[in-house]
Amino acid sequence: MKKIAALTLAFLLIFSLAACSNTQAEESSQQTESTPVEAPETEPSQEADNSDISEADAAPTESNEEPADSKILIAYFTYGENAELPSDVDASTTASIQIFNGEVTGNTGVMAHMIAEASGGELFSIRTVEPYPDSYDATIDVGQSEKNDGIRPELSTHIENLDQYDTVFVGFPNWWYGMPMVMYSFFDEYDFSGKTIIPFCTSGGSAFSDAVSEITSMEPEATVLEGLHIGGSSVNDAESRVNEWVSELGLSK
């Protein structure tokens, strides 16, 4: 009887242990399935590293090259260099004839030389094949006929290296309320696209008249500034004024 009871108790104990083991296994399985798995941390991508490098490489670098110096030309037409004057001409006989540095020129020529000395630019004298009379009054009559008839005098001097100049001063006297017709010949011959044109003129009192607008019309691709006018009777005393003007333009040498 005791033996039977012992066997029954052992069987119950084994069954209990088996049931407990199954329950723990099921709970462990359920816990494993319901617990989310965290993804491992990734290292910084190569793309991010390259991005930093690219930004550094993309930064602009300073050029050690300095811009080339801007070359300046002073082209001018003046009566004294375009007339059949005697070698011993007396400059005091007419206000339009001047002697500058020992050379015969005119009011506009004097102004052109002052600009050249202030800026360090190169001078170019605009000259005609057919010279003007030795009398200024007769020259004025010829100038009027040229304007009335639309005559554009042929040039005897020519700029061979215009491309090397970025800034061109252009000077002339005011004849009959505008530029002499020779200046139309001058602008017909050259293309000033991309350059800066700075007019200057001398006159008895009419200043530029419509000259600046005429130049702008003939050279639409150039930058045309307002320029400087000086009365013919004041040109010999205008050096300080010319120097100040050239300095204001930022073109002093």
Side-chain angles (χ1 to χ4, degrees), residues 26-245:
E26 288 178 2
E27 288 179 354
S28 175
S29 175
Q30 289 175 358
Q31 183 176 6
T32 301
E33 292 178 359
S34 61
T35 302
V37 178
E38 294 184 6
E41 292 185 4
T42 58
E43 295 188 10
S45 67
Q46 187 66 28
E47 181 180 356
D49 293 341
N50 289 341
S51 174
D52 291 340
I53 295 173
S54 299
E55 289 178 3
D57 291 344
T61 58
E62 285 189 21
S63 172
N64 292 326
E65 296 182 4
E66 294 183 2
D69 292 337
S70 173
K71 299 199 69 174
I72 299 171
L73 181 69
I74 301 101
Y76 67 98
F77 169 78
T78 195
Y79 165 64
E81 297 179 26
N82 281 277
E84 295 179 323
L85 301 173
S87 58
D88 59 347
V89 62
D90 185 359
S92 64
T93 60
T94 172
S96 298
I97 301 298
Q98 301 284 351
I99 305 296
F100 192 87
N101 290 342
E103 297 183 1
V104 177
T105 185
N107 291 332
T108 307
V110 170
M111 192 172 175
H113 280 79
M114 290 178 177
I115 294 170
E117 291 183 356
S119 66
E122 299 177 17
L123 287 166
F124 174 79
S125 179
I126 301 170
R127 302 193 181 187
T128 58
V129 171
E130 186 69 27
Y132 289 92
D134 61 356
S135 164
Y136 183 73
D137 291 338
T139 297
I140 289 300
D141 292 339
V142 172
Q144 185 178 33
S145 296
E146 289 175 345
K147 183 170 186 176
N148 291 341
D149 297 336
I151 297 172
R152 302 191 177 193
E154 183 181 355
L155 303 176
S156 65
T157 55
H158 308 276
I159 304 171
E160 297 180 355
N161 52 352
L162 182 62
D163 289 345
Q164 69 176 298
Y165 301 104
D166 300 309
T167 302
V168 182
F169 287 87
V170 179
F172 47 86
N174 185 321
W175 284 4
W176 297 103
Y177 309 104
M179 293 187 298
M181 291 303 294
V182 63
M183 297 308 299
Y184 290 85
S185 303
F186 176 76
F187 284 111
D188 280 346
E189 182 166 334
Y190 304 105
D191 180 6
F192 290 92
S193 296
K195 301 183 185 299
T196 298
I197 299 174
I198 309 175
F200 63 97
C201 83
T202 59
S203 74
S206 300
F208 283 103
S209 297
D210 63 352
V212 176
S213 61
E214 286 290 295
I215 295 171
T216 302
S217 176
M218 288 185 287
E219 300 292 341
E221 300 302 320
T223 300
V224 182
L225 305 186
E226 286 299 318
L228 177 66
H229 162 261
I230 292 179
S233 61
S234 305
V235 70
N236 286 323
D237 301 318
E239 187 170 8
S240 61
R241 184 178 175 191
V242 169
N243 290 344
E244 181 181 359
W245 175 57

